[in-house]
């Protein structure tokens, strides 16, 4: 700054003829600098329609495969068109090349349990894009999520948000949503803010006919699934169950439309009513009970029910309630043990954290708890990628293979060495576009 200032002062002090030529040269130099800057700024992110090539990383094409060292991935038109050792992949000249040397690349992550219910999403149709983009990063893309399943939010916010994300205006993941959940009669959970209770009252199902009607309302809004509170937490230890025939009525409507049904089970009754009603996904473990019964595990396995552990949530909830540390640990361990029993029996596990309800966005401890439940880095990657892609019939396999969606996570460190490295995200890429960059 001082140097520039003194240069201008010395030019001003020169005789006028020499001064004008020096000024011309200086201006020309500045113009060249500006042009160079503009050129680099333009190539900082891939242009619309430009191929994206990621080179030099160790790529995990699928959880069970051998990683490819010093690999190259080429994404064209939002889809992966080539993956292999760097020397074997021909990268067209105009492609934007991202050097990923020393990094690890996996398929994009799914978070199968989120909510777009925080105040920041309110009025998402008209809210400033920058505000939405910032929170999308904090809550989701920073952690590698390229697809999320919102299982309960206000469709007035979630559908416009999804539209703005899909248009590219707000960088974010592919959003699936269940719309408004269905509650048991007098079963709006105690933690729902009082101002929303009257709005949610019409979504209480006292009878199978109510459940049929409400499920149809959600699906008519273009929901991707249905969420049921088969065990609603009413405070003071009270849990209100949803009767099996009410559960089944909603499941019939959803399945007729080819859509999955999630249940918030809370306890054994909520779990059993969900399973007997044909629900597809248990959205939480049930640490309040300490374990799933053998009958529950058998039925879950037979019905191909998926389980979302949400283990970090249990710690966060008990911390908030100032429970003694020993009680926190015991509660989380119960969830870990429940995950372990279902996982070791070959049950489908889907990664999910309930972010949006909880403000604990960091995924590190969830990976640690899953490891403690006996899942290795490959099993965790399965729960983040191929298991949800298959379970929710995503139209691709959740692998890094030609033909798959160009959804990738570039990790700064190797999760095979330390499971916590799944939370160390350098880039999140959706359909060949960088939606997060550290
Ligand atoms: Zn939730």
């Amino acid at each position: 700054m001082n140097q520039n200032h003194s240069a201008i002062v010395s030019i001003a002090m020169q005789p006028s003829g020499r001064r004008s030529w020096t000024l011309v040269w200086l201006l020309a130099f500045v113009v060249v600098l500006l042009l160079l800057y503009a050129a680099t700024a333009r190539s900082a992110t891939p242009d619309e329609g430009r191929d994206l090539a990621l080179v030099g990383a160790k790529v995990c094409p699928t959880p069970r495969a051998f990683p490819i060292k010093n690999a190259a991935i080429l994404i064209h038109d939002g889809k992966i068109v080539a993956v292999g050792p760097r020397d074997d992949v021909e990268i067209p000249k105009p492609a934007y090349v991202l050097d990923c040397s020393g990094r690890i690349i996996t398929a994009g992550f799914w978070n199968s349990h989120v909510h777009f219910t925080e105040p920041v999403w309110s009025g998402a149709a008209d809210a400033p894009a920058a505000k939405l983009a910032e929170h999308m990063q904090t809550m989701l893309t920073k952690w590698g999520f390229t697809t999320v399943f919102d299982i309960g939010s206000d469709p007035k916010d979630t559908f416009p948000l999804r539209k703005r994300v899909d248009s590219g205006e707000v960088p974010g993941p592919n959003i699936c949503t269940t719309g408004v959940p269905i509650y048991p009669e007098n079963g709006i959970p105690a933690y729902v803010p009082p101002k929303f209770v009257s709005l949610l009252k019409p979504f209480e199902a006292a009878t199978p006919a109510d459940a049929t009607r409400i499920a149809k309302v959600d699906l008519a809004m273009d929901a991707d699934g249905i969420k049921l509170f088969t065990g609603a937490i009413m405070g003071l230890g009270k849990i209100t169950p949803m009767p099996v025939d009410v559960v089944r009525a909603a499941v019939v409507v959803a399945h007729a439309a080819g859509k999955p049904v999630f249940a918030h089970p809370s306890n054994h009754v909520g779990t059993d009513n969900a399973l007997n009603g044909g629900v597809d996904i248990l959205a939480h473990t049930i640490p309040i009970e300490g374990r799933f019964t053998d009958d529950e595990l058998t039925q879950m396995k037979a019905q191909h029910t998926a389980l979302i552990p949400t283990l970090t949530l249990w710690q966060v909830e008990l911390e908030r309630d100032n429970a003694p540390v020993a009680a926190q640990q015991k509660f989380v361990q119960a969830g870990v043990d429940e995950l372990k029993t279902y996982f070791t029996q070959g049950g489908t596990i889907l990664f999910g954290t309930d972010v949006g309800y909880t403000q604990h966005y960091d995924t590190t401890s969830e990976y640690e708890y899953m490891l403690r439940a006996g899942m290795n880095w490959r099993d965790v990657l399965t729960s983040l990628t191929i298991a949800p892609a298959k379970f929710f019939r995503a139209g691709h396999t959740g692998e890094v293979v030609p033909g798959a969606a160009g959804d990738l996570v570039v990790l700064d460190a190797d999760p095979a060495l330390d499971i916590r490295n799944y939370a160390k995200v350098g880039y999140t890429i959706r359909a060949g576009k960088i939606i997060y960059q550290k």
Side-chain angles (χ1 to χ4, degrees):
M1 182 123 182
N2 280 342
Q3 272 178 357
N4 286 344
H5 184 73
S6 58
I8 289 163
V9 170
S10 67
I11 290 165
M13 288 170 72
Q14 286 164 10
S16 64
R18 210 177 130 206
R19 189 168 69 204
S20 59
W21 274 111
T22 315
L23 265 174
V24 168
W25 284 115
L26 191 68
L27 278 173
F29 181 64
V30 168
V31 167
V32 168
L33 273 185
L34 282 173
L35 284 173
L36 278 173
Y37 173 76
T40 22
R42 232 195 342 265
S43 63
T45 55
D47 291 337
E48 202 67 32
R50 203 169 159 196
D51 289 359
L52 176 66
L54 301 101
V55 300
K58 182 172 116 177
V59 172
C60 304
T62 187
R64 299 287 151 199
F66 282 108
I68 309 165
K69 286 180 184 157
N70 193 17
I73 302 170
L74 183 65
I75 304 176
H76 171 77
D77 218 4
K79 283 202 157 69
I80 296 170
V81 290
V83 185
R86 192 170 180 167
D87 294 341
D88 297 356
V89 176
E90 198 179 321
I91 296 167
K93 262 268 143 54
Y96 177 77
V97 179
L98 197 62
D99 181 10
C100 298
S101 306
R103 290 172 149 151
I104 315 297
I105 298 181
T106 71
F109 296 165
W110 288 60
N111 190 329
S112 299
H113 187 159
V114 311
H115 297 274
F116 290 104
T117 43
E118 291 168 292
V120 66
W121 308 118
S122 167
D126 306 305
K131 184 179 92 167
L132 302 175
E134 190 190 344
H135 198 65
M136 195 66 87
Q137 178 170 317
T138 306
M139 176 168 138
L140 296 170
T141 57
K142 183 180 176 183
W143 308 104
F145 297 116
T146 54
T147 305
V148 298
F149 222 123
D150 158 76
I151 58 170
S153 62
D154 186 343
K156 282 205 306 298
D157 295 328
T158 312
F159 286 113
L161 178 65
R162 167 156 88 184
K163 207 170 162 194
R164 293 180 73 181
V165 168
D166 288 346
S167 76
E169 187 193 5
V170 176
N174 177 35
I175 296 172
C176 307
T177 178
T178 62
V180 184
I182 305 178
Y183 304 91
E185 187 179 23
N186 298 318
I188 312 277
Y191 50 79
V192 171
K195 63 176 176 177
F196 295 121
V197 171
S198 60
L199 290 171
L200 294 175
K201 205 75 186 158
F203 291 86
E204 286 186 359
T207 65
D210 290 342
T212 301
R213 177 179 47 78
I214 303 167
K216 284 181 176 171
V217 167
D218 271 323
L219 294 183
M221 283 189 288
D222 203 21
D224 306 288
I226 294 292
K227 160 79 172 288
L228 306 175
F229 279 84
T230 59
I233 295 170
M234 305 308 292
L236 302 173
K238 187 174 178 243
I239 293 168
T240 297
M242 179 178 281
V244 177
D245 57 350
V246 176
V247 175
R248 193 174 292 125
V251 168
V252 165
V253 172
H255 286 182
K259 307 284 167 95
V261 181
F262 294 75
H264 181 118
S266 294
N267 60 4
H268 282 314
V269 177
T271 301
D272 297 344
N273 289 6
L275 295 174
N276 292 332
V279 155
D280 305 287
I281 305 116
L282 298 177
H284 298 283
T285 43
I286 50 167
I288 207 168
E289 301 285 16
R291 60 187 288 267
F292 287 119
T293 66
D294 291 345
D295 286 347
E296 283 167 346
L297 290 164
T298 304
Q299 193 175 2
M300 284 158 70
K301 192 73 206 304
Q303 294 180 189
H304 306 289
T305 312
L307 175 66
I308 304 175
T310 68
L311 302 170
T312 303
L313 176 69
W314 307 136
Q315 190 198 320
V316 172
E317 292 281 90
L318 267 70
E319 268 173 13
R320 188 199 54 202
D321 295 345
N322 292 316
V325 172
Q328 291 178 26
Q329 287 171 346
K330 192 178 166 215
F331 199 64
V332 177
Q333 190 58 43
V336 168
D337 291 343
E338 288 166 349
L339 169 59
K340 187 172 191 168
T341 51
Y342 195 44
F343 170 70
T344 48
Q345 291 185 24
T348 296
I349 311 299
L350 306 177
F351 184 90
T353 52
D354 209 357
V355 285
Y357 166 73
T358 168
Q359 277 69 55
H360 187 101
Y361 307 124
D362 188 336
T363 50
T364 309
S365 59
E366 192 68 14
Y367 297 128
E368 290 178 300
Y369 288 135
M370 293 172 95
L371 183 75
R372 204 198 282 178
M375 298 177 74
N376 65 26
W377 73 273
R378 294 179 187 276
D379 304 321
V380 171
L381 186 58
T382 299
S383 80
L384 285 162
T385 57
I386 58 171
K390 184 180 177 193
F391 198 86
F392 296 118
R393 298 188 206 112
H396 63 86
T397 56
E399 298 171 295
V400 188
V401 292
D407 296 354
L408 301 170
V409 181
V410 181
L411 296 168
D412 287 343
D414 193 346
L417 303 176
D418 185 337
I419 203 83
R420 294 174 294 186
N421 290 339
Y422 276 124
K424 293 181 182 150
V425 174
Y427 295 92
T428 305
I429 292 159
R430 177 187 168 199
K433 292 204 178 70
I434 297 169
I435 58 170
Y436 168 73
Q437 182 170 353
K438 195 169 84 177

